[in-house]
Amino acid sequence: MIWKQCRISCWLLSALTLSVSARSLAQDTAEFWPGTRYDPSIPTIEMVLGYRVGDQITPPDGILRYLEALQASAPDRMKIVEYGRTWENRKLVYAALGSESNLRQLSAIRSRIQQLADPRKTGDSLAGALIEELPATVWFGYGVHGNEISSPDAALLTAYHLLAAREDPIVEEILTKVIVLIDPLQNPDGRSRFVHAFETALGLEPVGHPEAAEHNEPWPAGRTNHYFFDMNRDWFALTQPETRGRIKAMLEWYPLVFVDLHEMGSDATYYFAPGAAPHNPHQTKVQRESLELFGRANALWFDRFRFDYFTREVYDGFYPGYGDSWPSYYGSISMTYEQASVRGLVVQRKDGSVLRFRESVQHHFVACLATAQAVAANRKKLLQDFYSYRKSAVQEGQTEAIRTYVLSRRGNTAAVDKLAAVLAAQGVEILEADTAFRIGGQDIPKGSYVIPLSQPSKRLVRTLLDPQVPIDEAFLKEQERRRKKKLPDEIYDVTAWSLPLLYNVEALATKEVPSVATSPANPTFMPRGTGPSQKATLAYLVPWGTDAAGRLLTASLRADLRVFSTDKAFTQSGRRFPAGTLIYKVADNPTDLHDRLQRLAEASGAEVLSTNTAWVEEGVNFGSRHVVLIPKPSVALAWDTPTQAYSAGSTRFVLERQFGYPVTPIRTPQLARADLSRFQVLILPNALTSEGYRTALGTEGIRRLKEWVTAGGTLIGLAGAVSFLAEAKTGLLSVSQENVAQPDQPDRGATESKGGSKVVSGPETKEAAAGPDRVAGKILKSTEDLQSAIQADAELPDKVPGALLRARIDEDHWVTAGVPQTVNVLLMGQAIFSPIKLDKGTNAAFFESAAELVASGHLWEENRKQLAFKPFVIVQPQGRGMVIAFTADPTFRAYMEGLNLLFLNAVFRGPAHTRRTPEIERGFLISNPVPSVYDKVFRIPRLG
């Protein structure tokens, strides 16, 4: 610590002496809010952390330390609340700031806000009284992307200003009329990664050149959390502990206004609401009008400070997984603010100007004060609009065409339970059917979930459960116009996210209200399972087809149990057991097998049955050649460049945190020389280009990779990695990536003459003299001719921005065991692959016909036609081993729950179908790793 302080001091001294840009950083800071007098009893950042605002990038521990110092100096006006922990065990906190009177009754205010949030219990008269007395609430969320560095320092400055500004009428109005909730750092793990990279690259003085190392982080950069998740896409998925904790805290407060503060490219200016098109139709007209209100409030102050800004461009709120969109579905006014990023302390921009870190901090600080002032000035309106929003949601749920959603608890019941738990964690009210019932012409089993839409969360329910959220036609028409000119589309993120489709579970939307007795549901992410009712003398069976069975499998392998699995279905004692069913033979396992399975079943949520006979009425017996031993595989994962960090992180997360199985990440260049015989499975995550893997591995690495597969390894490629596997130079997958298909059509303008010969009207060609720099001349007679003439001879299909597509499975293949006949695949990008020939492998899952292809979202028409019947999952034997290719990432954002079984089959049933050499057969695996932070925070039982 002494060395670090000395290093910082020496750096500041050198910078003051040697650099003009550094002198401007370290000199006395100009006033961030001119004319303010500050209370000396409130500590400044310099007093606590040793530097002035904007002179350094505050690390996560410094942020928390300064907030604690502020709380200690003004406990009557500020309170810190811990709401969670990160994967790396860092605290997640928010600070509540207000007047002394408001802070004294903080709990009572929160309770009264909860009253206002339920118009079914709080009538208009009581609501009116609450609106008269309650302060408004605003939540500022800073730094959800760890390398967007200015907003957390702006959070500290905002808190200081609100506590220390003396005789400031704006601050007094804010603290009197508003509870300001400051979430100073939503992603401390990512910020820590950025600060470390920045300090490692920093030299004698900060360098402004944008290509300098201090502005460019090594893989995976600091944007994401520990598992490389973009948490500004996770709000409705709730895969990460940071998101779960934050939403739980927000549903205690229902902030009327939510601001998510970000950064963008260095050459930009500042962005605030109103947002760009398209708008989600479940956001109301009043909400959109309020975005205009806050935009004007920000513009007023930015004009005074002469800060440049823009609105209505780039950043839309269509996807509900953003921080600036999810809160709107409980009734908030939610917005993104974006500041041009320095990604350091100073950066030179293309226009010749210099942007400093302290300036970026000031811009966010001014925006926060402007917003808080607008909240105070519109206190009653915001409270009334919130109450009206939730009241109208209840009324719509009673009168619209859809009045009830039913989640049928059949099939992958573990996925159904988890989906219900995800909704409940977001404030959705859910009932559980006490008996079986019939609705919408369908029989619904007992225990299914009933979601009435006559509730305040109605718009959130529709947004998350509807198969399709429509995009404005005018917006789509504009995107088609842009595509014709080869301009990039303006779709910011995926266009499909329906949770029932992602989970591949049955959701029935109906106008009926079911006539069945129900009880309030309390779904959990992982319900307790059912162990064997009696001790078996022969075997225990676990029906395959649920995520719970997958968790039991991984736990069993880690516990060194011997597990067999059937490739074909069978019927025993009148019950059908699907392909993939797990078989635990008593003779092959420890004597306490019954007790072990009892514990594992309860922890995993799986169903375990006992049997005393191997006789079956239909299908294969336990000793059939179609029953295979599932080995305990050591799983390696390509890590680092060129893998896409998101894909590498989500793949590891799915295996480690959703299914409790350890993964060994290996930096991709090391794969070229690593002893792969220690692993039975190697996963190549998505990569942006096939050249990346080719370059990272080199010719020798590719040769060794092929030798490992041929010797019995299972190689799994995801999305962009498939292009690498399919390259002729790689030679591991006998398919090809397709260019855009050319439509079959007659010659343009061709007609038949009386003599039967063609008369061509259209582009006319006149032969020119041959020469290397000349081509035949053409006469173009129309803009259509021009468009035809300028098309590329061969090009890839246009990129798909993210749509859910239906894929059909080959039920005869072991990789599809336990998987429904149709699955939903979220496709992004432009890769379309030819089917594999029967003599080379199997198209184990392939996209549906063009007419049936799109399950949700928007897909370009050419892509829709060309994707029909093209492969999603390809399995190709290679010597003793095999290659399994997923042409779209099955672990995308870890919310593709409906693809989990396909992925698990590849990872665990793949090695069961190879013929491994003794070297690969041996392998190794650490069986008992230390319990994780996640286990401690969420008390999820360890499996095994």
Side-chain angles (χ1 to χ4, degrees):
M1 179 61 73
I2 294 175
W3 176 86
K4 184 174 182 180
Q5 290 174 344
C6 177
R7 182 174 67 83
I8 293 172
S9 299
C10 291
W11 169 72
L12 287 174
L13 179 60
S14 300
L16 280 165
T17 306
L18 301 174
S19 169
V20 173
S21 63
R23 281 202 303 271
S24 65
L25 283 172
Q27 68 187 10
D28 290 339
T29 58
E31 292 180 319
F32 284 86
W33 195 265
T36 307
R37 296 172 53 249
Y38 289 107
D39 184 346
S41 69
I42 305 298
T44 63
I45 289 177
E46 184 176 15
M47 293 169 62
V48 177
L49 301 180
Y51 52 85
R52 287 180 283 265
V53 176
D55 282 359
Q56 291 188 38
I57 303 163
T58 306
D61 61 332
I63 290 172
L64 189 58
R65 187 150 43 99
Y66 182 63
L67 286 179
E68 289 171 342
L70 288 180
Q71 178 180 245
S73 67
D76 55 344
R77 287 174 291 148
M78 175 174 163
K79 180 181 179 180
I80 297 174
V81 178
E82 180 178 340
Y83 67 79
R85 294 289 177 106
T86 71
W87 288 112
E88 296 173 16
N89 205 30
R90 291 186 173 91
K91 288 183 179 180
L92 296 163
V93 304
Y94 69 83
L97 291 87
S99 66
E100 292 183 30
S101 173
N102 285 338
L103 258 288
R104 276 197 304 270
Q105 50 180 339
L106 203 60
S107 296
I109 291 171
R110 191 167 57 236
S111 296
R112 291 197 286 273
I113 290 172
Q114 292 285 335
Q115 280 184 282
L116 190 67
D118 193 346
R120 296 164 303 179
K121 300 176 181 177
T122 303
D124 291 350
S125 176
L126 177 56
L130 291 172
I131 290 167
E132 285 295 326
E133 68 176 38
L134 276 173
T137 49
V138 58
W139 184 298
F140 293 110
Y142 303 86
V144 72
H145 295 144
N147 58 4
E148 296 181 359
I149 54 177
S150 56
S151 72
D153 280 87
L156 303 185
L157 181 58
T158 301
Y160 169 74
H161 183 84
L162 290 176
L163 294 177
R166 281 182 165 181
E167 299 173 1
D168 186 314
I170 294 175
V171 169
E172 289 179 3
E173 182 183 28
I174 290 171
L175 294 183
T176 301
K177 296 182 178 181
V178 181
I179 299 294
V180 179
L181 301 160
I182 291 178
D183 186 350
L185 185 53
Q186 301 177 75
N187 182 8
D189 292 355
R191 186 176 180 89
S192 176
R193 195 183 310 130
F194 172 86
V195 171
H196 173 74
F198 173 75
E199 290 185 344
T200 299
L202 195 62
L204 182 63
E205 64 185 36
V207 178
H209 196 290
E211 299 302 322
E214 64 201 63
H215 296 291
N216 295 277
E217 308 155 76
W219 188 97
R223 177 181 178 89
T224 55
N225 74 342
H226 176 81
Y227 271 99
F228 307 163
F229 277 71
D230 183 336
M231 292 190 294
N232 197 37
R233 305 296 187 275
D234 190 53
W235 281 75
F236 70 84
L238 300 186
T239 68
Q240 303 303 296
E242 297 94 333
T243 312
R244 294 185 190 182
R246 183 168 303 110
I247 282 183
K248 184 176 184 296
M250 287 184 63
L251 290 179
E252 293 172 354
W253 278 104
Y254 289 111
L256 304 178
V257 176
F258 177 88
V259 181
D260 205 18
L261 294 104
H262 288 262
E263 286 186 341
M264 52 188 164
S266 299
D267 293 303
T269 57
Y270 197 96
Y271 163 85
F272 47 73
H279 304 290
N280 191 300
H282 295 294
Q283 294 169 335
T284 68
K285 180 175 181 289
V286 171
Q287 287 176 308
R288 289 196 294 273
E289 289 171 349
S290 291
L291 294 178
E292 181 91 13
L293 181 154
F294 282 99
R296 290 179 179 275
N298 279 318
L300 178 68
W301 283 103
F302 271 57
D303 289 345
R304 290 183 185 179
F305 278 92
R306 299 179 181 175
F307 298 159
D308 288 334
Y309 59 88
F310 67 95
T311 63
R312 300 182 182 87
E313 296 179 57
V314 184
Y315 303 104
D316 66 70
F318 185 70
Y319 174 72
Y322 307 134
D324 74 340
S325 55
W326 182 89
S328 67
Y329 302 110
Y330 70 69
S332 176
I333 309 304
S334 50
M335 301 172 283
T336 282
Y337 292 173
E338 297 268 354
Q339 161 64 41
S341 182
V342 182
R343 288 294 197 272
L345 293 177
V346 60
V347 68
Q348 298 166 354
R349 304 205 276 191
K350 290 179 181 178
D351 64 0
S353 64
V354 172
L355 178 65
R356 294 174 174 81
F357 178 59
R358 62 186 312 280
E359 294 171 309
S360 64
V361 172
Q362 184 185 18
H363 297 163
H364 269 324
F365 163 67
V366 170
C368 289
L369 283 189
T371 301
Q373 181 190 26
V375 172
N378 293 276
R379 180 192 68 83
K380 287 181 64 174
K381 169 183 163 48
L382 292 168
L383 286 163
Q384 181 63 60
D385 288 350
F386 172 72
Y387 177 75
S388 299
Y389 174 96
R390 295 178 70 82
K391 182 179 178 180
S392 64
V394 174
Q395 293 169 342
E396 289 174 6
Q398 295 169 340
T399 59
E400 289 186 350
I402 298 176
R403 296 178 60 188
T404 307
Y405 257 105
V406 177
L407 302 179
S408 182
R409 202 171 181 280
R410 57 164 60 99
N412 189 349
T413 54
V416 179
D417 291 333
K418 183 174 180 180
L419 173 51
V422 165
L423 292 172
Q426 297 177 68
V428 175
E429 297 172 7
I430 303 175
L431 305 173
E432 185 175 342
D434 296 339
T435 60
F437 64 100
R438 187 171 177 80
I439 191 171
Q442 296 188 32
D443 293 319
I444 307 297
K446 175 185 176 181
S448 295
Y449 298 105
V450 177
I451 305 173
L453 266 66
S454 57
Q455 61 170 295
S457 298
K458 172 259 176 183
R459 295 185 180 98
L460 177 64
V461 174
R462 290 292 305 273
T463 300
L464 299 186
L465 298 189
D466 280 5
Q468 179 81 9
V469 175
I471 305 177
D472 181 69
E473 287 297 328
F475 175 81
L476 291 177
K477 185 177 180 180
E478 170 63 10
Q479 304 320 300
E480 293 294 350
R481 185 192 70 82
R482 294 177 64 84
R483 283 207 309 135
K484 287 180 180 178
K485 298 185 69 174
K486 297 299 179 184
L487 296 172
D489 68 66
E490 298 169 314
I491 300 175
Y492 196 75
D493 204 84
V494 299
T495 62
W497 55 81
S498 171
L499 284 174
L501 294 178
L502 295 179
Y503 281 61
N504 211 31
V505 301
E506 182 183 346
L508 175 64
T510 175
K511 191 171 184 177
E512 300 177 51
V513 176
S515 56
V516 62
T518 58
S519 305
N522 185 28
T524 62
F525 283 80
M526 195 185 301
R528 292 171 66 87
T530 306
S533 59
Q534 59 184 7
K535 201 167 187 178
T537 59
L538 185 79
Y540 295 92
L541 306 177
V542 179
W544 195 239
T546 69
D547 288 2
R551 291 191 289 266
L552 182 64
L553 170 62
T554 58
S556 300
L557 295 175
R558 293 182 66 192
D560 294 320
L561 299 180
R562 281 174 64 83
V563 188
F564 291 82
S565 177
T566 174
D567 288 345
K568 294 184 178 294
F570 64 89
T571 301
Q572 187 182 71
S573 301
R575 175 165 178 171
R576 185 181 183 277
F577 290 84
T581 290
L582 308 180
I583 303 170
Y584 296 78
K585 299 178 181 179
V586 172
D588 290 338
N589 280 291
T591 56
D592 63 345
L593 177 62
H594 178 274
D595 294 337
R596 291 194 186 196
L597 288 176
Q598 186 77 43
R599 292 192 297 270
L600 293 178
E602 291 179 359
S604 65
E607 177 188 22
V608 181
L609 304 166
S610 56
T611 182
N612 297 325
T613 179
W615 180 257
V616 299
E617 293 94 70
E618 291 181 1
V620 297
N621 300 94
F622 302 168
S624 167
R625 64 186 176 88
H626 297 293
V627 173
V628 295
L629 175 67
I630 297 184
K632 178 184 180 180
S634 297
V635 180
L637 175 69
W639 201 249
D640 214 326
T641 305
T643 69
Q644 185 194 56
Y646 295 145
S647 179
S650 63
T651 300
R652 187 180 187 185
F653 174 84
V654 167
L655 286 172
E656 290 193 345
R657 299 302 175 178
Q658 291 188 343
F659 291 96
Y661 201 82
V663 172
T664 301
I666 300 177
R667 301 199 183 278
T668 310
Q670 288 181 265
L671 288 172
R673 58 183 183 275
D675 180 7
L676 293 180
S677 69
R678 292 182 159 207
F679 301 95
Q680 289 78 49
V681 177
L682 171 61
I683 304 172
L684 301 182
N686 185 21
L688 297 181
T689 63
S690 59
E691 291 84 356
Y693 275 119
R694 192 190 327 129
T695 302
L697 293 172
T699 303
E700 179 63 16
I702 294 173
R703 184 189 66 79
R704 296 183 73 242
L705 182 62
K706 293 174 71 172
E707 287 181 351
W708 173 81
V709 175
T710 303
T714 299
L715 179 62
I716 301 172
L718 309 182
V722 179
S723 298
F724 161 71
L725 298 175
E727 284 185 335
K729 292 180 180 179
T730 307
L732 279 166
L733 193 62
S734 301
V735 300
S736 298
Q737 186 173 345
E738 298 183 351
N739 285 321
V740 64
Q742 298 300 322
D744 295 328
Q745 58 184 12
D747 292 341
R748 283 166 48 80
T751 61
E752 292 289 328
S753 70
K754 290 182 180 180
S757 61
K758 289 185 178 179
V759 177
V760 178
S761 61
E764 294 183 8
T765 301
K766 186 175 182 178
E767 294 298 329
D773 299 323
R774 297 181 180 179
V775 297
K778 292 182 180 180
I779 296 175
L780 307 179
K781 296 183 176 180
S782 65
T783 56
E784 288 78 9
D785 289 348
L786 172 62
Q787 288 299 317
S788 176
I790 63 178
Q791 297 303 311
D793 294 329
E795 59 183 337
L796 293 174
D798 281 352
K799 290 183 179 179
V800 176
L804 278 166
L805 309 182
R806 296 184 182 93
R808 198 187 313 171
I809 68 162
D810 179 348
E811 295 182 84
D812 291 323
H813 201 279
W814 52 261
V815 82
T816 65
V819 177
Q821 291 180 335
T822 301
V823 294
N824 300 307
V825 181
L826 202 149
L827 186 73
M828 300 182 74
Q830 58 194 147
I832 301 175
F833 292 89
S834 61
I836 196 168
K837 301 290 187 180
L838 284 174
D839 61 333
K840 298 294 185 181
T842 304
N843 301 291
F846 53 92
F847 292 111
E848 274 282 11
S849 68
E852 299 294 327
L853 180 62
V854 179
S856 181
H858 186 74
L859 184 65
W860 312 127
E861 182 65 11
E862 309 93 283
N863 298 66
R864 182 182 68 85
K865 293 177 179 177
Q866 190 171 344
L867 276 162
F869 303 112
K870 299 298 168 60
F872 165 49
V873 181
I874 307 164
V875 182
Q876 178 172 344
Q878 286 280 1
R880 292 175 173 267
M882 71 180 62
V883 175
I884 304 174
F886 290 81
T887 61
D889 192 342
T891 69
F892 180 76
R893 294 180 181 169
Y895 59 33
M896 299 302 302
E897 297 280 338
L899 299 179
N900 280 346
L901 286 174
L902 264 175
F903 184 57
L904 291 181
N905 283 343
V907 173
F908 295 102
R909 305 190 83 245
H913 290 82
T914 60
R915 297 175 292 119
R916 297 174 299 282
T917 61
E919 292 78 17
I920 291 181
E921 179 70 41
R922 284 194 290 270
F924 86 104
L925 184 66
I926 298 174
S927 298
N928 296 298
V930 176
S932 70
V933 173
Y934 189 79
D935 300 320
K936 294 175 182 176
V937 174
F938 291 102
R939 302 185 183 279
I940 289 183
R942 291 206 62 81
L943 305 180

